[in-house]
Amino acid sequence: MKVARTIADLRRTLAPERRAARTIGFVPTMGALHEGHLSLVRLARARTDVVVASIFVNPLQFGPAEDLARYPRDEASDLAKAEASGVDVVFVPGLEEMYPPGAATTVDVGPLGTIVEGAARPGHFNGVATVVAKLFNIVEPDVAFFGQKDAQQVAVIKQLVRDLDLDIEIVVGPTERDADGLALSSRNAYLSAVERQVGSTLHVALRAGEAAITSGDDPAIVEKAMWAVLADRDGIEPDYAVAVDPDTFMAPASFRPVLLAVAARVGTTRLIDNLLIER
Ligand code: AMP
């Protein structure tokens, strides 16, 4: 596996692959790799000839009071996992390589970036869209792979590709979970043993929301069912529980499909999860 730390080195590495008309698959990550990330690598391995992954903790997508400083970083372990799961080229840029002094241009994704998760994390999705647009220009992938775990990020990236006429196919991989339903996340590393157990409540809430859909296509009923599960459990502070259109994150025009999404704080850790229901 080739490790590229500069944009120039990455481009030099991929140029002959492109000339040979080999398709390039791309999996962007912030590292602390787990099975969720590796499942996307395996999807890329199956779909494209050359698999590129990036590891970059993007400061632009963290708010001032968020966990940028304590975000888990373990490059040696990440590189071993990436290589074992079939990555050909890993791009690990430093902060100044991605944002040299004077860098000022950002991508604004409009209203989609300011609702639901975007309302809780002002500026987050513009930060995501900016770094992903840059990474797309650096890697120039044919196909890019994202996790359903971050459902609103998927909607934002699809809109970015549409709005900026990027010639990149977006493939979405299913959410990888632990046995009790807790969605895998780099942030799970912050949880104590007790908090780890409490964390599975997010998935319980989503299943309660799914069960409530049978009583009619009423977002309010479904949202109440999810909120009740979250609010009932000690040690969890719900942030939102919504039933929305998976593309716009607005009230669903129909329940075909509908996305159930929840966010909650467990101790000092903010967790998100969702369930896409296609009927
Ligand atoms: P992150 O490192 O958190 O920025 O995530 C990098 C990519 O992995 C994103 O496309 C995420 O949606 C995806 N991802 C994170 N957790 C999971 C999971 N549990 N299952 C599937 N994909 C995931």
Side-chain angles (χ1 to χ4, degrees):
M1 182 180 71
K2 158 84 182 174
V3 180
R5 296 189 185 275
T6 65
I7 295 167
D9 192 15
L10 194 272
R11 286 190 167 139
R12 246 190 326 267
T13 304
L14 293 180
E17 306 290 353
R18 232 184 295 284
R19 271 198 302 275
R22 285 157 63 81
T23 56
I24 295 174
F26 178 42
V27 182
T29 83
M30 297 206 301
L33 299 184
H34 52 65
E35 270 305 306
H37 301 114
L38 303 182
S39 68
L40 296 177
V41 168
R42 287 191 288 268
L43 265 185
R45 185 74 279 158
R47 285 282 303 264
T48 51
D49 299 324
V50 181
V51 177
V52 181
S54 62
I55 298 173
F56 179 64
V57 181
N58 173 36
L60 239 53
Q61 70 190 74
F62 289 78
E66 292 183 2
D67 57 341
L68 174 62
R70 72 160 177 161
Y71 197 82
R73 292 165 170 87
D74 188 346
E75 188 185 297
S77 157
D78 284 348
L79 294 181
K81 287 176 188 168
E83 180 155 35
S85 62
V87 172
D88 297 306
V89 182
V90 62
F91 180 49
V92 195
L95 186 57
E96 296 232 328
E97 185 70 6
M98 289 300 283
Y99 301 115
T105 306
T106 58
V107 176
D108 187 331
V109 299
L112 177 57
T114 66
I115 55 178
V116 191
E117 183 68 4
R121 304 186 67 188
H124 169 68
F125 287 117
N126 288 344
V128 168
T130 300
V131 81
V132 170
K134 285 168 67 69
L135 290 167
F136 280 177
N137 282 328
I138 293 164
V139 176
E140 295 183 69
D142 298 281
V143 190
F145 299 82
F146 291 86
Q148 177 62 32
K149 162 71 173 28
D150 298 284
Q152 197 167 354
Q153 174 169 279
V154 166
V156 162
I157 300 301
K158 285 181 173 172
Q159 185 195 282
L160 173 80
V161 164
R162 209 166 46 238
D163 289 353
L164 299 187
D165 307 299
L166 305 180
D167 190 13
I168 300 171
E169 183 189 351
I170 302 301
V171 170
V172 181
T175 302
E176 296 291 319
R177 301 176 179 282
D178 273 337
D180 65 354
L182 179 71
L184 299 186
S185 165
S186 303
R187 291 190 165 93
N188 293 354
Y190 302 147
L191 300 172
S192 69
V194 173
E195 289 171 347
R196 167 66 195 71
Q197 287 195 321
V198 174
S200 64
T201 311
L202 274 80
H203 187 243
V204 177
L206 291 168
R207 290 294 174 199
E210 183 182 29
I213 291 178
T214 50
S215 40
D217 290 355
D218 181 348
I221 291 175
V222 175
E223 291 173 355
K224 214 171 134 193
M226 293 190 289
W227 187 271
V229 171
L230 295 172
D232 267 7
R233 179 91 192 240
D234 284 344
I236 193 161
E237 199 185 306
D239 185 348
Y240 60 75
V242 294
V244 293
D245 178 291
D247 296 320
T248 64
F249 276 69
M250 308 281 277
S254 77
F255 266 48
R256 295 172 181 76
V258 65
L259 183 87
L260 309 184
V262 295
R265 206 167 279 280
V266 179
T268 59
T269 306
R270 192 166 174 284
L271 299 176
I272 61 169
D273 200 355
N274 70 84
L275 209 53
L276 179 61
I277 295 168
E278 320 202 51
R279 300 159 73 207

